[in-house]
Amino acid sequence: MANASHAAEKPAGVLKVSMAPVLGSGYLLPLLHDFLARYPGIVPDWDFNNQPVDLIQGGFDAAIGGGFDLASGLAARELARVHIIAVASPSYLARITPPQEPADLQRLEGILLRSPLTGRLHSRTLRNRAGEQVAVEMQPRMILNDPGSLCHCALMGLGITLVSTLSALPHLREGTLVRLLPDWYADAGPISLYYPGHRQLPAKTRVFVDYVVREFKRQDLAGLFDATRAVGGRGRKAARAGR
């Protein structure tokens, strides 16, 4: 009986989780090797999706992302904030006068995002540490409904885009994208980990929630995505060089 009880508590089974593709492939997949070494009985079944899902109807054990309605019976652990910044490629910046203020973006070509839920173009209000806020509009050069494609078009030199720091970070580090207006950003809300809120969570879900929360803290991913810090480390220098 003691052995049977221990086996029932051992984390095992299919773990179905929904998450945004950029977040999943860039920051959660690298955790899998260590996670599976700790819990070999768990089989990840991960759904990469930019849209919020219904955990109950979809049969998900957990979801990671933003924009979820916290329905009755669900719990949420905030992991980080989604900060939006302006970026462009060095080749595009070589053809223009780089913007000095948010209002300067109005005269430049924009790679814009259309909401896959509402069909409307995303509007952003940038803020700075002084508390100033400016609504931003750009001339549309391209319109996309996939957030992950914004950086790809910016890399091609097609214009300026407003994109999350977690999407832009690898390109900023490589120098293939440059952050513009480094004192300005938009806060698009939290990245949270959602899961059923009842006390008797399955062991596989409980250890996954604890592991993700612990790794976000250990790697300081919330700080890494914080646009008020020196995101990428090369954007400010490159932006000045383009002036």
Side-chain angles (χ1 to χ4, degrees):
M1 292 178 62
N3 289 338
S5 177
H6 176 73
E9 287 297 317
K10 190 174 182 180
V14 175
L15 181 71
K16 189 174 181 181
V17 184
S18 176
M19 63 192 73
V22 171
L23 178 65
S25 60
Y27 301 95
L28 293 172
L29 278 179
L31 303 179
L32 266 185
H33 188 275
D34 180 61
F35 180 76
L36 293 179
R38 294 175 184 232
Y39 308 109
I42 294 178
V43 178
D45 180 358
W46 286 6
D47 174 65
F48 293 93
N49 196 333
N50 281 316
Q51 299 186 29
V53 297
D54 187 318
L55 267 69
I56 306 302
Q57 294 295 327
F60 291 96
D61 297 293
I64 305 175
F68 283 74
D69 293 326
L70 193 59
S72 176
L74 293 183
R77 300 279 295 273
E78 183 172 325
L79 301 173
R81 303 293 298 183
V82 180
H83 284 177
I84 306 297
I85 58 175
V87 299
S89 69
S91 63
Y92 181 77
L93 293 177
R95 305 197 305 266
I96 67 168
T97 301
Q100 307 299 312
E101 300 293 339
D104 295 339
L105 294 174
Q106 296 181 5
R107 60 179 172 79
L108 299 171
E109 297 169 302
I111 303 167
L112 308 182
L113 178 66
R114 185 185 299 280
S115 170
L117 294 177
T118 66
R120 298 176 181 175
L121 293 180
H122 272 277
S123 60
R124 301 294 186 188
T125 298
L126 300 184
R127 65 177 68 176
N128 62 13
R129 293 181 181 179
E132 300 173 296
Q133 298 190 32
V134 179
V136 170
E137 293 184 4
M138 288 185 287
Q139 301 176 20
R141 182 66 180 87
M142 284 196 66
I143 299 173
L144 306 167
N145 70 344
D146 173 33
S149 298
L150 296 176
C151 282
H152 292 293
C153 291
L155 289 167
M156 295 168 61
L158 297 178
I160 295 172
T161 192
L162 296 171
V163 67
S164 68
T165 54
L166 65 93
S167 296
L169 189 58
H171 309 294
L172 294 173
R173 287 173 167 171
E174 295 171 359
T176 51
L177 287 180
V178 175
R179 181 179 177 182
L180 309 176
L181 306 172
D183 296 324
W184 294 86
Y185 70 99
D187 190 324
I191 301 172
S192 296
L193 174 55
Y194 300 86
Y195 55 94
H198 52 75
R199 294 181 179 179
Q200 296 301 321
L201 274 179
K204 61 179 181 179
T205 307
R206 184 179 67 252
V207 297
F208 176 76
V209 170
D210 291 342
Y211 184 83
V212 170
V213 171
R214 184 170 61 249
E215 283 299 306
F216 261 72
K217 290 182 178 179
R218 185 184 70 82
Q219 299 183 36
D220 190 25
L221 292 182
L224 196 66
F225 301 156
D226 188 344
T228 64
R229 300 189 184 184
V231 176
R234 301 174 69 175
R236 187 184 296 266
K237 181 178 178 181
R240 287 175 176 172
R243 292 178 183 176

